Amino acid sequence: MMKTSEIQCFTKAWLRSFRPTIAMLACLLSSSCDPGKKWSSGDYAVYSIGSIEDQQLGREVDSGNYIGRVEATVIAAGADDTWIVAARKGPDGSRLFYYFMKSRDDGFMNGEDLVEGPFDEAEFAKRKREYALPELQYFYGGS
C-alpha cells in the first residue's frame, strides 16, 4: 500500500505531465483562443467556417454571427482607429488588397457598397501612403 507522501508525489508528477494538455484544453474552451479566428479588432474578425481556404473578414453583428466584408481566402488583415485593411488570395494565386473606413460601416451594409478593392500590390501601396492605412498582419500565405 502506498503512503500518503508517495500518493502526493505521484499526483504532483501526474499533474505536471498533463499541464500542457490542460492548458491547451482551457485555451480551446475559452473564447479568447477561438481557433476559428485568425485575427480580430473590435467587431471585426477573420474567421473560418470550415477549412483555412474559407477564411473571410467580417463584422460581428451578434454573438458569433458575421456579415461579410472581404471574401475568402483572407491571408492578412490590419486595423487602426479609422481603417480596416485586408489581403486575400486571388483565384490565380495573386494577392488582392482591400480597405474600408470603419465609421461608414453600420454593421448591416452590403460589403460591396463599403469595401474598396480589389487592388494589386502597387495600387494598394499608393493608397496606403495616401490614406495612411495600417500595416497588414499576415497569418496565412506569408508576407
Side-chain angles (χ1 to χ4, degrees):
M1 182 148 187
M2 290 177 87
K3 296 179 184 175
T4 303
S5 62
E6 291 173 326
I7 293 172
Q8 288 174 339
C9 185
F10 174 78
T11 303
K12 286 179 184 178
W14 184 84
L15 286 174
R16 270 195 305 274
S17 69
F18 285 100
R19 189 176 294 156
T21 303
I22 293 167
M24 184 178 74
L25 286 172
C27 182
L28 289 173
L29 294 173
S30 76
S31 61
S32 64
C33 296
D34 184 353
K37 287 185 184 178
K38 294 295 182 190
W39 173 91
S40 66
S41 176
D43 293 337
Y44 297 94
V46 173
Y47 59 94
S48 177
I49 298 171
S51 73
I52 233 168
E53 297 295 322
D54 295 330
Q55 288 179 167
Q56 301 176 44
L57 180 127
R59 181 173 178 172
E60 190 168 19
V61 291
D62 60 46
S63 184
N65 294 311
Y66 294 88
I67 185 163
R69 294 293 175 246
V70 178
E71 64 187 36
T73 297
V74 175
I75 59 172
D80 63 16
D81 291 338
T82 305
W83 303 99
I84 297 286
V85 294
R88 67 182 274 278
K89 185 170 70 170
D92 61 355
S94 64
R95 292 188 189 153
L96 304 173
F97 298 87
Y98 302 80
Y99 68 91
F100 62 93
M101 190 176 286
K102 288 195 250 183
S103 64
R104 289 194 54 229
D105 191 354
D106 67 5
F108 297 98
M109 191 175 206
N110 184 334
E112 294 170 358
D113 297 331
L114 172 69
V115 179
E116 299 288 330
F119 300 104
D120 64 19
E121 194 164 1
E123 181 63 25
F124 182 73
K126 177 182 163 191
R127 290 171 184 253
K128 186 174 184 292
R129 285 188 304 274
E130 184 178 342
Y131 299 118
L133 299 174
E135 294 295 320
L136 285 161
Q137 174 189 349
Y138 284 85
F139 42 80
Y140 176 70
S143 58

